[in-house]
């Protein structure tokens, strides 16, 4: 087995962000308990290299109605409010039609004060690995990958999309496909 050189914790899909207001590096990732159930965690430390093993809080446990928690990412808006976006299934058997993209919002400007569940994006079923960013003009965008199998495609096919956002919790109508799986090694049945 290969040892992760960054952290001793068993974790998947790590994401890291720095907050110059608190002076902390925040890392969010999927961890697993002794029964191999997924847990969404956020950790923090003053140095980037220490964040994956820093103090931590739990945002979501698998037994709270969501399963197979995947690919969390964090975003801080202009007013200092933090958001965590994460994908999870409502079905234990990983039925792709039950995958949802969830968003949590910090209850204060300090992410370690905790988060509250805001919503799931009903218009983004089977979407994961979301990255939210703010352009120089202040507009927000979300880039994400989407599994097209849930939309009636005969095989597991990924597509990369970018979509405008009206706010950190609201999607706009405009979106574009950046790329899609086309080569044989990218496609599976």
């Amino acid at each position: 087995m290969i040892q992760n050189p960054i952290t001793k914790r068993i974790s998947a899909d790590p994401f890291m962000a720095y907050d110059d207001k608190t002076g902390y590096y925040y890392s969010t990732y999927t961890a697993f308990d002794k029964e191999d159930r997924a847990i969404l965690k956020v950790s923090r430390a003053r140095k980037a290299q220490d964040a994956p093993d820093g103090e931590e809080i739990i945002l979501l446990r698998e037994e709270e109605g969501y399963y197979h928690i995947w690919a969390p990412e964090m975003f801080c808006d202009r007013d200092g409010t933090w958001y965590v976006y994460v994908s999870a299934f409502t079905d234990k058997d990983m039925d792709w039609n039950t995958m949802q993209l969830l968003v949590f919002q910090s209850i204060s400007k300090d992410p370690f004060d905790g988060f509250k569940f805001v919503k799931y994006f009903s218009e983004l079923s089977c979407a994961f690995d979301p990255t939210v960013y703010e352009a120089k003009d202040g507009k927000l965008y979300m880039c994400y990958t989407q599994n097209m199998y849930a939309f009636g495609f005969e095989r597991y096919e990924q597509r990369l999309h970018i979509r405008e956002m009206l706010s950190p919790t609201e999607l706009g109508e405009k979106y574009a496909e950046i790329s899609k799986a086309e080569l044989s090694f990218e496609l599976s049945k």
Side-chain angles (χ1 to χ4, degrees):
M1 176 154 78
I2 298 172
Q3 174 64 44
N4 184 334
I6 305 298
T7 181
K8 294 174 182 69
R9 293 181 178 152
I10 297 173
S11 59
D13 294 323
F15 179 85
M16 187 178 294
Y18 178 71
D19 184 0
D20 59 359
K21 293 171 189 68
T22 63
Y24 280 102
Y25 288 88
Y26 294 93
S27 178
T28 184
Y29 52 91
T30 304
F32 302 92
D33 66 14
K34 292 177 183 175
E35 287 79 37
D36 203 31
R37 292 178 300 216
I39 303 168
L40 173 59
K41 293 185 176 185
V42 175
S43 62
R44 72 176 180 185
R46 296 285 181 194
K47 295 180 182 177
Q49 66 266 28
D50 297 334
D53 292 315
E55 60 181 314
E56 62 185 15
I57 59 172
I58 295 173
L59 263 65
L60 180 66
R61 293 178 183 275
E62 192 168 80
E63 66 265 18
E64 294 171 358
Y66 291 99
Y67 307 92
H68 310 288
I69 300 165
W70 287 4
E73 295 205 15
M74 295 178 77
F75 169 74
C76 186
D77 69 9
R78 285 184 177 196
D79 77 357
T81 303
W82 284 88
Y83 298 86
V84 172
Y85 303 88
V86 65
S87 299
F89 292 84
T90 58
D91 179 84
K92 287 183 181 179
D93 297 325
M94 288 180 64
D95 175 352
W96 284 103
N97 294 303
T98 72
M99 181 184 238
Q100 298 178 344
L101 182 58
L102 315 173
V103 60
F104 294 83
Q105 180 181 352
S106 63
I107 59 175
S108 78
K109 306 296 184 218
D110 182 352
F112 253 59
D113 286 340
F115 286 80
K116 64 181 179 181
F117 173 76
V118 178
K119 67 184 281 185
Y120 73 91
F121 293 108
S122 58
E123 56 275 72
L124 288 185
S125 63
C126 283
F128 53 98
D129 281 332
T131 298
V132 175
Y133 66 95
E134 184 175 350
K136 290 181 181 179
D137 62 5
K139 290 183 182 177
L140 294 176
Y141 297 91
M142 178 186 284
C143 185
Y144 56 92
T145 186
Q146 199 160 26
N147 178 352
M148 304 310 288
Y149 185 74
F151 300 100
F153 283 63
E154 292 184 16
R155 60 181 176 234
Y156 178 88
E157 181 181 310
Q158 292 297 122
R159 295 191 180 187
L160 187 62
H161 295 138
I162 187 166
R163 189 170 193 140
E164 70 176 357
M165 297 183 79
L166 305 176
S167 75
T169 60
E170 289 184 76
L171 298 173
E173 292 295 320
K174 292 181 185 176
Y175 75 95
E177 182 175 282
I178 296 171
S179 67
K180 67 180 183 177
E182 296 178 311
L183 302 175
S184 61
F185 73 88
E186 298 174 307
L187 302 170
S188 64
K189 292 184 179 186

